[in-house]
Amino acid sequence: MNRRNMLRATGSVLALFGAGLAPQVQAQDRSANFLAKAAASKPSLTETVQAPKGLITPVADAGHPLYWQIEAAGTVADLESRVLKKGDSLIIDFGGHRTGFLSFDLIGVGPNVDAPARMRFVFGELISDVAEPFHPYTGWLSQSWLPEEIVTIDYLPQPVRLPRRYAFRFVKVEIIDTSSSFGVTFKNVKAHAVTSATGELPSLPAGMPDDLKQMDVVAAATLRDCMQTVFEDGPRRDQRLWTGDLRLQALTSYVSYRNDDLVKRCLYLLAAFPREDGLLPGDVYELPKPARAGDFPYDYAVFFAVTLADYVKATGDVATGGDLWPTALRQLEILYGLVKDDVFVIPEKVWVFIDWHDTLDRAAAMQAIYIYGLKRVVELARALGLTAEVAAYGARIAAMEKATLAKFYDRKAGVFVSGPNRQVSLASQAWMTIAGVGGKSLQTKALRAALKGADTIRPRTPYLNHYVVEALFLAGCDAEAVAMMRAYWGGMLKAGADTFWEAYSPDNPRIAPYNDFHVNSFCHAWSCTPSYLLRQYGQQIV
Ligand code: RAM
């Protein structure tokens, strides 16, 4: 189900639960208080000025995962000596990914600078962005996300800093027109990289193989470039805070750049925008002022509570934990309204994300995520001294685990199945393992059986891949976990990734969840977790 259908679903579920717990005024005060706390934790951004490495040209290669090789096409001196006229173009390479701004001096060269210079800029995260036309566009997200711009500069020479922020390694410039009596030259081209990440990356456990070290560098760059004044999902698109992405960024941040205050800010931003019944949105906008974005993936509501539990565990900040506790608990309580006979029943029009996969049956994974949420909330209650508030959860967990084994576990096949067609997916096995359903040896067998199955539904996004790899480590399938990291993030590395992507599949590197590859984001928050996995499970790898 896509996001448009989710919006329609929101109303019907609202009716199910009725109005919120607190009177409206109290709710407004609470939101204002949360927003003030979010504002107090707003980080400043550092700006680093970077020079280009040179000029490049894409060379078609049908055997390359992206269909393009990158070939050197000149130095910075060559760039600064070229006079460009109507129809000319070039591609500047900054040699790596950043989130930031572009500046340059534009010089008019010729007897008479008698017109403005009009140019088209394309900002490429990948070589395919600057090698292929963006049009005709076939995606279902707005094409205004495509990183292209027509810019007109008057009165040359002129120092220029483009006003919009971009995510880029490459900048393609096409001259639309100057006039017959002058051309333009670019001097002092600079990127201004911005991030709220600070400090050095702590080293990996000794003995880590080189390819995994390289994976860590690229994963950390992914986190760095998504770390702005919120943890953005992608600096190219959607440039917004999503709970599912935040959870993975926060886990990675605790073992890398360690920006705990930014996690706190993001938790308060999400908590400030509950629906009337208290359910939190899956995403919020930061600009022009913080606002709810209107998507309600129900699994992400559980992850708010999980992210708070992770935060308190990592930081010991029980004051924030206590402040956000009622909001966290409310997520589990609202969702309990959908549990019938100890089984979570996903209403028809409700969005449960899990992965971008049209045919994935989400019932088993959502059941497991809900159980996992209950367990993490109990852990949080212990840390906050609030166990009396979750006194009923022990029995609820036990009953739901029993129902899970009866309804979702196929004893003969030794795997968890989901839906009327008894679908086997890595999503179901991974989430049952993380939720701790059925014991370690059952989980290990289930994961191994699903990995072997030819018809098993496999992950499409780094988001779900992360949880599959984490489950494999938890189940002691270390070799399989590392092999999956190499096939997945390693596959992106082989395709030339400077940062990890929003979507990738080893059997289809150009997978397009929004029906056009060019609207994918290629520096995407939920892809940063190798930096977490390699540290958290490092001793199981080396
Ligand atoms: C997309 C983004 C975001 C994700 C949601 C579910 O819009 O990729 O990162 O959390 O989907």
Side-chain angles (χ1 to χ4, degrees):
M1 190 181 285
N2 68 32
R3 278 195 226 157
R4 278 167 296 193
N5 294 340
M6 296 319 138
L7 286 180
R8 268 186 267 128
T10 308
S12 57
V13 177
L14 243 184
L16 249 180
F17 295 111
L21 286 178
Q24 221 187 345
V25 176
Q26 247 179 298
Q28 278 168 3
D29 285 354
R30 197 173 42 227
S31 289
N33 173 26
F34 286 175
L35 285 176
K37 285 177 175 159
S41 297
K42 187 171 176 178
S44 50
L45 299 176
T46 52
E47 182 173 312
T48 313
V49 180
Q50 298 158 336
K53 297 278 184 260
L55 298 171
I56 59 101
T57 189
V59 176
D61 175 359
H64 189 278
L66 294 174
Y67 311 148
W68 301 97
Q69 297 281 359
I70 303 167
E71 216 170 79
T75 61
V76 175
D78 295 330
L79 161 68
E80 296 202 337
S81 64
R82 279 184 67 179
V83 179
L84 302 161
K85 301 202 78 168
K86 181 175 183 166
D88 289 343
S89 70
L90 50 78
I91 300 174
I92 302 166
D93 180 11
F94 282 91
H97 190 278
R98 80 263 306 110
T99 299
F101 297 86
L102 184 77
S103 73
F104 50 86
D105 295 335
L106 195 66
I107 320 291
V109 183
N112 199 2
V113 182
D114 56 350
R118 179 162 296 167
M119 298 158 290
R120 177 171 178 264
F121 285 83
V122 177
F123 291 82
E125 296 189 291
L126 292 187
I127 186 68
S128 43
D129 288 326
V130 288
E132 298 164 11
F134 287 159
H135 303 279
Y137 174 68
T138 55
W140 53 267
L141 297 179
S142 170
Q143 63 175 295
S144 60
W145 285 116
L146 296 173
E148 60 179 345
E149 214 75 77
I150 290 180
V151 174
T152 305
I153 306 295
D154 298 295
Y155 317 124
L156 307 184
Q158 180 85 248
V160 179
R161 177 170 162 134
L162 298 186
R164 296 185 71 216
R165 196 201 69 183
Y166 303 94
F168 64 102
R169 167 178 170 175
F170 305 105
V171 181
K172 179 174 186 179
V173 187
E174 293 169 354
I175 307 302
I176 296 174
D177 213 349
T178 51
S179 86
S180 54
S181 58
F182 82 102
V184 288
T185 292
F186 283 81
K187 303 261 191 215
N188 293 320
V189 177
K190 298 275 183 310
H192 303 257
V194 288
T195 178
S196 58
T198 52
E200 296 291 308
L201 201 60
S203 50
L204 290 169
M208 194 61 77
D210 283 348
D211 63 327
L212 299 183
K213 280 191 197 154
Q214 177 57 15
M215 194 183 288
D216 180 46
V217 168
V218 172
T222 308
L223 179 62
R224 177 200 67 203
D225 291 353
C226 294
M227 253 169 116
Q228 301 295 324
T229 44
V230 294
F231 281 106
E232 292 183 18
D233 62 335
R236 168 177 174 140
R237 205 217 81 242
D238 307 320
Q239 305 175 351
R240 131 182 17 153
L241 168 63
W242 285 85
T243 318
D245 303 70
L246 168 65
R247 199 238 160 175
L248 298 183
Q249 287 167 300
L251 283 179
T252 308
S253 167
Y254 301 139
V255 297
S256 60
Y257 299 115
R258 193 82 223 211
N259 196 343
D260 298 348
D261 257 16
L262 187 59
V263 181
K264 177 160 94 178
R265 168 174 164 76
C266 291
L267 286 166
Y268 275 118
L269 282 173
L270 286 159
F273 297 104
R275 212 167 61 177
E276 272 173 60
D277 62 344
L279 195 80
L280 293 188
D283 56 338
V284 293
Y285 304 119
E286 186 190 14
L287 297 170
K289 60 177 186 151
R292 178 204 294 169
D295 303 290
F296 288 89
Y298 278 30
D299 46 343
Y300 277 25
V302 177
F303 288 121
F304 177 83
V306 170
T307 308
L308 184 64
D310 293 338
Y311 171 79
V312 171
K313 190 171 161 191
T315 64
D317 178 1
V318 289
T320 300
D323 213 14
L324 293 173
W325 165 257
T327 308
L329 190 62
R330 183 84 190 119
Q331 305 314 302
L332 276 297
E333 284 308 296
I334 293 170
L335 295 185
Y336 195 53
L338 297 174
V339 175
K340 308 274 175 285
D341 299 326
D342 303 315
V343 172
F344 193 104
V345 182
I346 304 173
E348 207 193 310
K349 286 185 176 160
V350 154
W351 185 19
V352 169
F353 173 62
I354 314 286
D355 192 19
W356 280 128
H357 200 303
D358 288 345
T359 57
L360 173 68
D361 192 287
R362 289 155 166 82
M366 187 62 211
Q367 171 87 353
I369 287 171
Y370 185 74
I371 294 172
Y372 178 62
L374 292 174
K375 290 184 176 177
R376 296 302 310 277
V377 160
V378 170
E379 177 197 317
L380 177 60
R382 271 193 217 113
L384 301 175
L386 294 169
T387 46
E389 294 192 35
V390 290
Y393 279 25
R396 191 186 292 182
I397 291 166
M400 289 189 73
E401 287 196 335
K402 193 167 163 220
T404 305
L405 290 171
K407 185 167 161 99
F408 295 105
Y409 185 62
D410 182 330
R411 271 174 213 290
K412 222 168 128 212
V415 283
F416 289 97
V417 295
S418 189
N421 298 327
R422 304 180 69 73
Q423 184 189 78
V424 178
S425 68
L426 285 178
S428 302
Q429 321 309 317
W431 277 113
M432 291 295 177
T433 304
I434 292 167
V437 176
K440 192 167 170 181
S441 90
L442 182 150
Q443 294 155 6
T444 307
K445 282 186 203 136
L447 279 163
R448 290 208 165 118
L451 277 178
K452 280 200 203 97
D455 296 333
T456 299
I457 302 284
R458 286 161 203 280
R460 292 274 170 87
T461 58
Y463 174 77
L464 179 58
N465 248 279
H466 162 84
Y467 287 115
V468 174
V469 170
E470 178 136 60
L472 288 167
F473 279 126
L474 290 171
C477 306
D478 302 342
E480 290 93 334
V482 175
M484 184 167 275
M485 290 182 79
R486 286 199 161 107
Y488 197 77
W489 287 276
M492 285 188 253
L493 277 181
K494 281 190 194 130
D498 300 295
T499 48
F500 289 124
W501 312 345
E502 175 179 21
Y504 174 78
S505 183
D507 60 7
N508 180 9
R510 293 184 54 130
I511 196 159
Y514 317 101
N515 208 42
D516 192 304
F517 184 61
H518 295 128
V519 84
N520 286 9
S521 148
F522 300 102
C523 171
H524 211 71
W526 62 23
S527 223
C528 72
T529 62
S531 291
Y532 161 78
L533 294 165
L534 294 173
R535 288 177 177 77
Q536 182 72 13
Y537 300 101
Q539 297 314 326
Q540 292 173 241
I541 300 171
V542 294

